[in-house]
Amino acid sequence: MFFVDTIELEGLGNRSYLAGGSRTAVAVDPPRDIDRVLAAAVRRGVRISHVVETHVHNDYLTGGLELARITGAAYLVPSGARVSFARAPVSDGDSFTVDSGLVLTAMATPGHTPHHTSYVLSDGDTPVAAFTGGSLLVGSVGRPDLVEPRLTEQLARAQHASAHRLAAALPDDTAVLPTHGFGSFCSSAQADGGDTTTIGKERAANTALTTEVDTFVADLLAGLDDVPAYYAHMGPANARGPAPVDLTPPALADAEEIASRLAAGEWVVDLRSRLAFAEGHVAGSFNFEADGSLATYLAWMIPWGKPVTLLAADAEQLAAAQRELVRVGIDRPAAAATGGPGGWLRAGEEPASFPRATFAGLAEQGVDQVVVLDVRRDSERADGWIEGAVHIPVHELTRRVHEVPEGTVWVHCAGGMRAAIAASLLDAAGREVVAVDDDFEAASAAGLPLVPAGL
């Protein structure tokens, strides 16, 4: 008997796995906060004998090196990966016994990176699962443009070949267990097809397996989305070997310190819901909801290395945010505070606020009376946009805020979360702002004039 436990990293859109038998197990692409993996091993009553990486990750910091050190496990890293720490280099065809009857076999699947390696878990002679990392995903493949622009087309062709190699080598009922593809920007496309898949399902539906190579490559390259800025720091850090994490609570800041840090140009980030932030917040602070894609968007937008102070509703929200942020290299908040604006403002100061609205409210107001700011990514505008709207993706707004025309700004995204981020940035810059907290599908129903894509 064997088991496979999934460890979700929902904020980043990734998954890690623990797989094994009755005594020992292998950890695949572990997150930096390795206590979750250790807890999974304890629940199963197994020892972690192997830790494997499918590739040097570009979107998060691995916990593999530290997990192997703590457990004494063999640390398996593709032989082609250029890293500066001791590890067991893995080549195509290498096999490792995980537990009685359970064997893990490396399969070279370049494409997401040149050295990318998948691992096939077999129970006896039967392949039961393929840990495909950033190779074959649910309905898609990992993007090929994160290593070096000159290699992008070559790696895209390698992705097609690697997908076909997996499909040819494995039975239809083999579980496909990717690391990326559940909202991760490491995926070349976001597919609708559920969270679980098999080789057979992918053979029937994955474009890498249903499209000839030239068409596949052209479509893949044309559909690549923006790359989060912090990705540039993840690969080098993983190649060096990330340090152990420190999740102890940060130093508490009082109202005077919060004001001082704002005055010094540091970032003060309010983790509360966008509703609570709009109703009242510390002037100059930014709203990145703890329940949204906190790590992705904060790491994408903050100048790398700038001190950040976290304001949270309670200690639990603060701890969860710390855990998410260490996964992308934001290790120690400069300071933190919990509660609400009443405890974060100095005597005599009033909380700042701004209104929220819907697309119906915007239609009633009239788009010709205000500035409409669309902060969606380019790829999201395929279904059209509001006529006359200014377009600045939210991750570019901090450096392009001067491009927003004068007047009251009604800012929207696809669902509300990024509009709240943008509204907080504009509010901190002294602009009058209204955050549209609504699904973009409601814009047409509200009667707003939409420009079709391509015009």
Side-chain angles (χ1 to χ4, degrees), residues 145-153:
D145 62 329
L146 300 180
V147 177
E148 161 59 48
R150 293 173 297 176
L151 298 178
T152 297
E153 182 174 349

Side-chain angles (χ1 to χ4, degrees), residues 88-329:
V90 176
S91 299
D92 184 48
D94 288 350
S95 293
F96 309 88
T97 299
V98 176
D99 202 307
S100 178
L102 285 179
V103 175
L104 195 71
T105 302
M107 181 181 291
T109 48
H112 188 47
T113 66
H115 60 266
H116 190 283
T117 300
S118 298
Y119 298 88
V120 177
L121 183 69
S122 297
D123 186 8
D125 294 328
T126 303
V128 292
F131 301 102
T132 55
S135 182
L136 190 65
L137 310 184
V138 181
S140 183
V141 295
R143 61 192 301 164
D145 62 329
L146 300 180
V147 177
E148 161 59 48
R150 293 173 297 176
L151 298 178
T152 297
E153 182 174 349
Q154 173 186 330
L155 290 176
R157 291 182 179 278
Q159 280 289 50
H160 188 270
S162 292
H164 280 263
R165 184 185 186 199
L166 286 163
L170 300 173
D172 278 355
D173 60 355
T174 306
V176 175
L177 302 173
T179 301
H180 306 311
F182 310 97
S184 167
F185 280 86
C186 271
S187 177
S188 63
Q190 300 305 322
D192 295 323
D195 288 343
T196 61
T197 192
T198 63
I199 287 291
K201 290 179 180 178
E202 294 309 304
R203 195 192 310 277
N206 195 301
T207 56
L209 297 172
T210 60
T211 309
E212 59 87 23
V213 62
D214 289 335
T215 301
F216 167 79
V217 170
D219 290 346
L220 186 153
L221 298 183
L224 291 174
D225 210 337
D226 297 327
V227 178
Y230 72 92
Y231 277 26
H233 304 280
M234 299 296 98
N238 282 324
R240 291 191 303 269
V245 299
D246 178 3
L247 291 175
T248 58
L252 294 179
D254 59 16
E256 287 292 342
E257 183 176 353
I258 292 170
S260 176
R261 291 187 177 278
L262 281 169
E266 297 181 9
W267 276 37
V268 174
V269 171
D270 191 327
L271 301 168
R272 296 175 303 144
S273 73
R274 55 185 183 261
L275 171 60
F277 184 88
E279 288 182 344
H281 56 269
V282 177
S285 62
F286 303 142
N287 182 214
F288 289 80
E289 290 181 303
D291 293 336
S293 300
L294 169 66
T296 295
Y297 282 98
L298 180 55
W300 196 339
M301 296 173 67
I302 191 171
W304 197 252
K306 183 177 281 290
V308 59
T309 294
L310 300 178
L311 307 180
D314 50 43
E316 290 74 20
Q317 187 179 71
L318 175 60
Q322 275 188 265
R323 178 177 290 274
E324 190 168 349
L325 292 176
V326 298
R327 296 172 184 159
V328 293

Side-chain angles (χ1 to χ4, degrees), residues 370-371 404-409 431-433:
V370 296
V371 177
V404 181
E406 294 298 318
T408 300
V409 183
R431 300 298 301 272
E432 288 190 18
V433 63

